[in-house]
Amino acid sequence: MTRGSYWNAGLFVLVSALFGSVFVGIKAGLTAFPPVFFAALRFDIAAPLLLAYAAWRYDVWIPRRRPDFAGIVVGAVTVIAANNALLFLGQELATPAAASVMYALNPMLAPVFALVLLDRRLDLIGVTGIALGLVGVLIIVQPSPATFMSGSTLGQLLVLGAAASFALGSVLVRRYGTTMDSVPMTAWSMALGALVLHGLSWALGETVAGATITLRVALSVLVVGVASTAVAYPVYFVLLHRIGPVRANLVAYVAPVVAAITGWVLLDEPVTLATVVGFCVVVTGVALLERDVLATEFRRLSRTPEADGR
């Protein structure tokens, strides 16, 4: 391996750890904060840090065109506010392992929304991949009259709703044809999304009066707001630039492993066999759905320098 390869591998491990640990951080922080308020607090911390980074790193970091403003508003409502409100509400009831697997479905849900909103077509194998994703969800949730109203099942469905909101927002932002770079656009969406989340928290009557801030809670806030958001997003975009979207998006399937292990070690949260099997089925479905992109990437990786030079 070249030095650049080691560097890319290190970034991949770092991003996977940061994105995977957010589920454990959320679970720990929810012992002190109400869910929607905690979601807002995440971006109260992350948005100023990411905006400062965008101002330092990018020549154009302030939106000027109408599509950019539209993209920021859509991102704030769907990718930030709705996504995180549902994610934090769901994690009150679901384990970090189950929540992370359900959330990993968002790359599979995006093509469904693209089919409707962008007129992107799916062939039979792509439909089979989406069907496998649904099977994976059913394996994890195990719906039945007895379990459907249980807290765990409701929490997993809320997290699935968060993944759907993220996927929908990603497709809608693409539809507007924004021209800003991803980091500044994400930063502005976080800032606006934090205001939306605070309004929703107030409407729900949430209060932090009497919250006990222990060392574990303080660490969870730092993990969620700083490490897994303000730091993780810029590092992810660097990785995206260095190795491309196919390999970078594999983070979504390593993060659940990190979440499961850290949740078990730090919070004594169980990892069920159904979660493991469902995760494997979901990954198989994604591989079928993205088979052309994966095949192209594998061919590129398998080419030797001698072959490239001929």
Side-chain angles (χ1 to χ4, degrees):
M1 292 177 66
T2 64
R3 181 178 299 178
S5 298
Y6 283 116
W7 179 247
N8 294 339
L11 288 177
F12 184 90
V13 171
L14 175 61
V15 173
S16 299
L18 292 175
F19 281 155
S21 62
V22 72
F23 297 94
V24 179
I26 292 171
K27 192 72 173 181
L30 288 172
T31 59
F33 300 117
V36 180
F37 174 84
F38 190 21
L41 181 62
R42 175 186 190 181
F43 299 108
D44 289 340
I45 297 170
L49 295 174
L50 204 55
L51 281 171
Y53 172 78
W56 168 70
R57 177 66 178 79
Y58 292 87
D59 294 331
V60 179
W61 66 280
I62 297 176
R64 293 183 175 89
R65 298 176 64 251
R66 182 176 298 178
D68 295 333
F69 283 106
I72 288 169
V73 171
V74 169
V77 173
T78 57
V79 175
I80 303 300
N83 166 33
N84 281 271
L86 291 170
L87 175 62
F88 281 61
L89 285 166
Q91 277 219 244
E92 277 195 308
L93 305 169
T95 65
S100 61
V101 172
M102 299 295 277
Y103 200 73
L105 280 165
N106 86 71
M108 180 174 290
L109 295 171
V112 177
F113 290 115
L115 175 66
V116 177
L117 298 173
L118 302 179
D119 197 27
R120 301 283 176 83
R121 299 302 179 186
L122 288 174
D123 58 16
L124 180 60
I125 297 179
V127 172
T128 302
I130 292 175
L132 274 178
L134 177 60
V135 171
V137 170
L138 294 176
I139 291 173
I140 297 169
V141 175
Q142 300 183 32
S144 69
T147 63
F148 188 73
M149 296 306 294
S150 70
S152 176
T153 299
L154 178 59
Q156 291 163 3
L157 292 176
L158 286 170
V159 176
L160 181 59
S165 178
F166 185 96
L168 174 62
S170 301
V171 172
L172 287 175
V173 169
R174 193 181 316 162
R175 187 180 186 182
Y176 280 106
T178 57
T179 58
M180 287 184 68
D181 286 296
S182 297
V183 171
M185 176 160 287
T186 300
W188 286 110
S189 292
M190 285 181 180
L192 180 57
L195 296 177
V196 175
L197 284 165
H198 276 297
L200 181 58
S201 175
W202 175 81
L204 292 173
E206 292 184 342
T207 177
V208 293
T212 302
I213 309 300
T214 63
L215 176 60
R216 189 171 83 165
V217 171
L219 288 175
S220 74
V221 171
L222 291 176
V223 167
V224 172
V226 179
S228 295
T229 309
V231 174
Y233 278 87
V235 174
Y236 172 75
F237 287 122
V238 170
L239 186 67
L240 194 68
H241 175 72
R242 291 178 67 94
I243 67 175
V246 177
R247 284 182 288 169
N249 285 336
L250 292 177
V251 165
Y253 306 106
V254 179
V257 178
V258 175
I261 294 173
T262 54
W264 174 59
V265 172
L266 298 178
L267 302 179
D268 199 27
E269 292 281 352
V271 181
T272 67
L273 178 61
T275 298
V276 175
V277 174
F279 171 70
C280 294
V281 173
V282 167
V283 171
T284 302
V286 172
L288 285 177
L289 188 63
E290 301 292 343
R291 68 194 182 284
D292 292 336
V293 180
L294 289 172
T296 300
E297 183 68 13
F298 285 139
R299 283 194 298 269
R300 188 185 71 82
L301 291 174
S302 65
R303 286 201 303 263
T304 62
E306 291 79 8
D308 289 339
R310 286 198 294 267

